[in-house]
Amino acid sequence: FVDEDLGVFMNENFVSLKLDGEKGDGLQLMNEFSLDSYPTMLFLNSEMDLLKKIVGVVGAEQIEEAGNAVMHPEETVIYQLEQKYKAGNRDRDVLAAYAVELLNADREMEAIVDEFLEKYPEPDLEDENEFLVFCLGVVDRDHASMNGFLGNLEGLAEIHGDFVMTKLNMILLSIVNDAIEAKDQSTMAKELDKIFPFYQEFVAEEAAVSKEEILEMMTEMYLEEVGE
């Protein structure tokens, strides 16, 4: 570790090992934990259970914070939310925050997202956590909250930034996936017609892609999968 204080902290509390992800034990580790980015730091226990993962270059303070979270999980937000959940607390703020914390920790969160949407089918799209739950869990384009999303793209972008465009792209991808599943290419144009007016209004004219160009990209994806 370049940072001397961080090196002392890590050496006092962990056995640190640097591996080349393209050979030997490093390659085995990459495969075992489905890693695809450099650098990646894994905090593992003696049983090789993953306790924490850091992807990309981060500062010494963030690494030390992660180390402390591994050593003292009871002090972390995710642990406290987990205890509330296990105790039966299903308040919307608890479920939404727990789902997001699980996502950030690279842990399974689908069941919590589904539970939230079943109990609270119309998430507050202006709330940061509930908006992320919406992005992760609402794939049905006829879902009640979808109209609220499409009808307020600009306002939501002021709150959530690029996440709004990401969700729009996820919706377009869902159209392709539905067409692939049905093996019916014609459905894409019909579904795109419903979404495109909102997209066109939201994206600046100079950055907009035409409906024909979007449909062409979607068709390429469809044909690549279906092979027709």
Side-chain angles (χ1 to χ4, degrees):
F1 296 98
V2 177
D3 186 284
E4 185 176 346
D5 291 338
L6 177 62
V8 171
F9 169 80
M10 294 298 291
N11 289 332
E12 285 180 349
N13 297 290
F14 299 95
V15 176
S16 300
L17 182 63
K18 183 178 181 180
L19 297 173
D20 185 334
E22 298 182 3
K23 60 185 180 183
D25 290 338
L27 182 58
Q28 181 180 339
L29 204 69
M30 295 287 287
N31 293 330
E32 185 172 349
F33 291 96
S34 302
L35 307 180
D36 56 12
S37 301
Y38 299 113
T40 294
M41 177 179 289
L42 305 179
F43 288 85
L44 309 173
N45 63 17
S46 58
E47 302 300 321
M48 291 291 286
D49 298 319
L50 179 60
L51 306 177
K52 185 78 174 177
K53 179 168 73 172
I54 299 176
V55 179
V57 178
V58 299
E61 184 177 336
Q62 290 171 278
I63 295 175
E64 186 169 340
E65 184 179 309
N68 277 315
V70 167
M71 293 188 295
H72 306 289
E74 70 282 356
E75 297 178 5
T76 64
V77 173
I78 191 170
Y79 177 88
Q80 293 162 10
L81 288 168
E82 186 172 40
Q83 296 311 301
K84 290 181 180 180
Y85 180 81
K86 287 181 177 179
N89 189 326
R90 296 298 187 271
D91 291 347
R92 65 187 303 150
D93 59 331
V94 170
L95 283 177
Y98 188 30
V100 172
E101 287 296 323
L102 289 171
L103 173 68
N104 292 337
D106 200 25
R107 289 169 54 186
E108 293 294 329
M109 44 64 194
E110 287 82 0
I112 307 301
V113 169
D114 291 344
E115 187 173 358
F116 177 94
L117 291 171
E118 183 177 349
K119 193 171 181 61
Y120 308 105
E122 295 193 32
D124 179 0
L125 299 183
E126 294 188 1
D127 179 85
E128 182 178 0
N129 288 336
E130 293 197 22
F131 180 76
L132 285 174
V133 168
F134 163 78
C135 289
L136 293 166
V138 177
V139 293
D140 181 2
R141 293 183 296 280
D142 294 323
H143 192 278
S145 59
M146 195 64 78
N147 288 333
F149 170 71
L150 293 173
N152 189 28
L153 294 175
E154 189 172 337
L156 292 173
E158 291 180 3
I159 301 171
H160 306 299
D162 292 340
F163 283 114
V164 170
M165 195 67 214
T166 298
K167 182 57 177 177
L168 267 178
N169 289 330
M170 290 169 68
I171 293 171
L172 295 177
L173 182 59
S174 74
I175 293 174
V176 177
N177 288 335
D178 287 350
I180 290 171
E181 186 174 341
K183 293 189 176 180
D184 184 357
Q185 183 178 342
S186 66
T187 62
M188 294 193 298
K190 297 174 186 176
E191 290 298 313
L192 180 58
D193 283 343
K194 300 176 185 177
I195 303 298
F196 187 75
F198 299 101
Y199 166 86
Q200 190 175 37
E201 185 177 345
F202 172 61
V203 180
E205 186 175 342
E206 61 271 14
V209 180
S210 70
K211 183 166 66 174
E212 290 72 25
E213 289 173 315
I214 293 176
L215 185 58
E216 183 178 348
M217 288 186 286
M218 294 169 69
T219 301
E220 288 177 2
M221 295 171 64
Y222 174 90
L223 294 175
E224 186 175 315
E225 185 67 28
V226 176
E228 294 180 358

